Amino acid sequence: MALLYAAVFFLAGFFPSLLSKVDRAVLFGAAVQWLPGTISIAVALFVAAVAGNPRLSPRSVAAIAIVFEIASNYGIAAAELLQPETLDFRNATWIGLSWVAVWTLLFTIVVPSSPRRSVLAALAASSSVPAMAAVSFAVYPPPVLPNAGQFFFLFVFPYLLVVVMAYVGARVLFALGNEVRKAREFGSYRLL
């Protein structure tokens, strides 16, 4: 998952900008444009190297996975939202769900854990969007700040819905995992 994250982050966040001289100038014009993504990719590569260590217990790898889910979402949110022009509501250049939503749901499906652990990790990971939006508003105040209701419905509520979807996915996967485990216990016999 960490390698997938690094590859997709590079392809979505950097590759298009590297193709033209004008876009490269914008990308490398300010550290806030490239630094969050670069750090995120570096962390993902480090996690991939560490998690692949055969001496780590499954419990340790699971803990690393949860921490990575949260940290990786903060990396996505920082790359998307810590840019002055991104959150200007007059021009509305940032509309819709963040890649945080996609990554949270994918992570919940690919790295299954108990529904309780999954929902707590998804909540912590999804907090990245409102947290980074608040930091961006503080550091780069736009001409028009959203009121509390607008902030909630733009940066909090959609991600609460993502957490609900992640929870449903985690419950389904957890139930399927239990059924597979029970089936293995019975071997090739079928109880009627």
Side-chain angles (χ1 to χ4, degrees):
M1 283 298 287
L3 291 175
L4 176 67
Y5 175 88
V8 171
F9 207 125
F10 174 77
L11 291 171
F14 290 98
F15 183 68
S17 296
L18 296 175
L19 297 178
S20 86
K21 186 176 182 177
V22 172
D23 291 339
R24 274 193 307 273
V26 170
L27 176 65
F28 296 114
V32 73
Q33 301 285 351
W34 59 267
L35 190 59
T38 302
I39 291 171
S40 296
I41 291 169
V43 167
L45 294 174
F46 176 75
V47 167
V50 169
N53 186 339
R55 292 183 296 210
L56 284 177
S57 69
R59 185 180 211 107
S60 298
V61 173
I64 290 170
I66 296 295
V67 171
F68 177 66
E69 179 184 3
I70 297 164
S72 60
N73 275 327
Y74 269 84
I76 293 169
E80 289 177 341
L81 300 172
L82 289 182
Q83 301 174 29
E85 67 278 353
T86 303
L87 296 175
D88 184 349
F89 284 95
R90 293 179 306 162
N91 298 325
T93 58
W94 194 87
I95 298 173
L97 286 175
S98 161
W99 278 88
V100 164
V102 175
W103 184 244
T104 301
L105 290 172
L106 179 65
F107 207 94
T108 301
I109 292 167
V110 175
V111 184
S113 64
S114 71
R116 181 175 172 263
R117 185 173 290 160
S118 292
V119 79
L120 291 174
L123 274 171
S126 295
S127 71
S128 61
V129 173
M132 288 298 114
V135 168
S136 186
F137 288 140
V139 175
Y140 305 108
V144 178
L145 282 171
N147 63 35
Q150 290 171 321
F151 186 90
F152 177 78
F153 284 107
L154 283 171
F155 301 111
V156 178
F157 185 68
Y159 302 96
L160 292 176
L161 296 177
V162 167
V163 169
V164 169
M165 290 187 289
Y167 175 72
V168 170
R171 284 196 50 121
V172 168
L173 287 174
F174 194 72
L176 289 173
N178 283 339
E179 287 181 28
V180 168
R181 195 169 15 265
K182 288 177 187 174
R184 284 185 181 158
E185 289 174 6
F186 294 123
S188 60
Y189 297 100
R190 182 176 178 193
L191 298 178
L192 299 176

